[in-house]
């Protein structure tokens, strides 16, 4: 952190020592970069206005982002402005660059505010950076009139002021109410405090359910083996190859191996299932639909 502060101060001092460009010099540098891609002119133009980028970055420190990162994003915006600036439009570069610098910083702040995407549309961005200011002004005006604005009234007024739907205000209010927290954080300051993740419902099978399922599967397996044992060798072979393999064989392949037609194998399979169904129904009605 100390090194970051030192870097901030060093960069700020360097920027403050940079030359101040008059309109004519600024125009010459802009033409040299646009028409001749002169990197020296670009460097001189950016260096001269780096103080502007740093000044704008400092206004966003309240959002909790490191100052070095904010300055870096401001520099990116400044370079984009220099690359897209058209000196023929008769606008000072500083006026044009302000919008690019601000947009770059705002995009960075919104990307890093939360793991959950805060917003992507221009209206959501406007709401993110203006909601607190508008809310504070509305509260001051209401207090001066001796009124207290209820939550739903406040949200409606903010939505009207910023020009966004009320549900966007509700969403952003939740986003700005707090930062992200780790599920491994303790619920209290005690050393043995339970972690928040321990409070989540366990959606996996419980021990009693596992035992019950295991018992049911074992019983079903015994019933099936008993029903299978009532079949002759050929019928057992067909049932195993058709229903008990990970890759069941086709009627045609079984017919080739047994020297039977495909239709005859299908008939034997149906007859075997009929026998097994009768056996299972006699054993328990719970498996009546197993071979359906």
């Amino acid at each position: 952190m100390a090194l970051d502060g030192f870097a901030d101060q060093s960069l700020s001092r360097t920027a403050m020592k940079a030359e101040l460009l008059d309109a004519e010099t600024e125009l010459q540098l802009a033409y040299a970069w646009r028409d001749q891609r002169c990197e020296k002119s670009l460097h001189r133009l950016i260096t001269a206005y780096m103080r502007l980028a740093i000044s704008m970055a400092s206004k966003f420190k309240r959002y909790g982002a490191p100052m070095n990162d904010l300055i870096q994003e401001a520099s990116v915006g400044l370079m984009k402005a220099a690359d897209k600036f058209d000196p023929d439009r008769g606008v000072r570069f500083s006026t044009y660059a302000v919008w690019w610098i601000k947009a770059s910083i705002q995009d960075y702040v919104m990307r890093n505010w939360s793991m959950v995407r805060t917003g992507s549309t221009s209206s959501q961005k406007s709401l993110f950076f203006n909601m607190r200011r508008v809310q504070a002004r509305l509260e001051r005006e209401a207090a001066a009139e001796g009124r207290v604005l209820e939550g739903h009234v406040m949200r409606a007024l903010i939505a009207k002021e910023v020009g966004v739907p009320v549900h966007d205000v509700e969403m952003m209010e939740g986003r700005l109410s707090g930062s992200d927290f780790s599920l491994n954080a303790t619920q209290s300051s005690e050393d043995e405090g339970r972690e928040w993740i321990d409070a989540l419902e366990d959606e996996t099978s419980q021990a009693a359910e596992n035992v019950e399922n295991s018992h049911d599967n074992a019983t079903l397996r015994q019933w099936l083996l008993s029903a299978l044992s009532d079949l002759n060798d050929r019928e057992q072979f067909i049932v195993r190859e058709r229903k008990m393999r990970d890759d069941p064989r086709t009627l045609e392949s079984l017919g080739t191996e047994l020297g039977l037609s495909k239709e005859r194998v299908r008939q034997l399979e149906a007859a075997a299932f009929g026998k097994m169904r009768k056996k299972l129904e006699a054993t328990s009605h719970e498996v009546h639909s197993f071979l359906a």
Side-chain angles (χ1 to χ4, degrees):
M1 182 62 69
L3 290 177
D4 289 343
F6 177 78
D8 293 344
Q9 296 174 6
S10 178
L11 184 58
S12 298
R13 286 196 297 267
T14 301
M16 292 304 295
K17 294 178 181 178
E19 63 178 321
L20 295 174
L21 301 179
D22 55 48
E24 183 178 354
T25 304
E26 177 186 292
L27 199 60
Q28 292 175 353
L29 295 174
Y31 276 123
W33 167 243
R34 189 195 68 176
D35 300 335
Q36 304 168 23
R37 310 310 286 179
C38 176
E39 294 187 1
K40 289 184 178 180
S41 298
L42 174 64
H43 177 72
R44 187 177 170 188
L45 185 65
I46 290 177
T47 302
Y49 285 102
M50 194 61 202
R51 62 166 60 86
L52 173 64
I54 294 175
S55 175
M56 293 189 65
S58 65
K59 297 177 181 179
F60 289 84
K61 287 194 298 183
R62 65 180 182 275
Y63 292 100
M67 188 59 185
N68 272 351
D69 292 346
L70 292 173
I71 292 176
Q72 182 176 352
E73 293 299 323
S75 301
V76 171
L78 180 61
M79 288 186 286
K80 288 182 178 179
D83 188 53
K84 296 179 179 295
F85 181 60
D86 184 0
D88 290 331
R89 291 185 176 274
V91 179
R92 286 296 299 264
F93 175 71
S94 58
T95 303
Y96 180 77
V98 163
W99 298 102
W100 282 96
I101 295 171
K102 184 177 180 180
S104 183
I105 297 174
Q106 287 181 339
D107 286 344
Y108 168 78
V109 170
M110 293 189 70
R111 286 197 311 271
N112 291 275
W113 177 262
S114 171
M115 293 177 66
V116 179
R117 189 170 180 82
T118 306
S120 57
T121 66
S122 58
S123 60
Q124 290 171 339
K125 180 185 292 187
S126 176
L127 183 60
F128 180 86
F129 290 102
N130 293 292
M131 190 172 81
R132 293 303 187 212
R133 176 181 57 80
V134 172
Q135 181 176 347
R137 178 173 59 78
L138 291 173
E139 288 175 344
R140 288 196 304 271
E141 293 174 355
E145 299 174 1
R147 297 184 296 116
V148 177
L149 298 177
E150 298 293 338
H152 67 282
V153 176
M154 175 65 76
R155 287 189 286 272
L157 291 174
I158 293 174
K160 182 179 179 181
E161 182 83 15
V162 183
V164 299
V166 175
H167 66 79
D168 277 2
V169 178
E170 294 172 347
M171 178 275 293
M172 195 61 68
E173 194 173 49
R175 294 284 188 269
L176 296 177
S177 62
S179 56
D180 299 325
F181 292 95
S182 171
L183 288 174
N184 295 118
T186 56
Q187 297 181 23
S188 66
S189 58
E190 300 176 4
D191 292 340
E192 300 299 326
R194 187 172 65 164
E195 296 182 354
W196 285 105
I197 195 172
D198 296 330
L200 296 179
E201 181 180 358
D202 186 2
E203 298 181 355
T204 60
S205 301
Q206 300 301 309
E209 184 180 351
N210 290 334
V211 172
E212 182 179 352
N213 290 336
S214 178
H215 177 268
D216 290 345
N217 290 335
T219 301
L220 180 59
R221 178 180 176 82
Q222 290 300 321
W223 286 342
L224 288 174
L225 290 175
S226 177
L228 191 63
S229 66
D230 285 355
L231 304 179
N232 60 43
D233 292 342
R234 185 166 63 176
E235 289 171 338
Q236 289 185 22
F237 175 74
I238 293 174
V239 170
R240 288 195 178 96
E241 295 299 299
R242 289 284 292 158
K243 296 298 182 182
M244 298 184 177
R245 286 168 53 103
D246 292 334
D247 52 340
R249 294 180 60 181
T250 64
L251 293 173
E252 186 175 1
S253 68
L254 287 175
T256 301
E257 181 174 344
L258 296 174
L260 301 172
S261 66
K262 176 180 176 181
E263 177 60 22
R264 180 55 182 160
V265 174
R266 187 193 65 76
Q267 293 173 356
L268 290 172
E269 179 185 46
F273 285 153
K275 293 179 182 179
M276 292 182 68
R277 181 177 288 108
K278 289 181 180 180
K279 175 71 173 180
L280 291 170
E281 288 176 351
T283 303
S284 174
H285 292 291
E286 295 180 15
V287 293
H288 177 71
S289 61
F290 179 77
L291 296 176

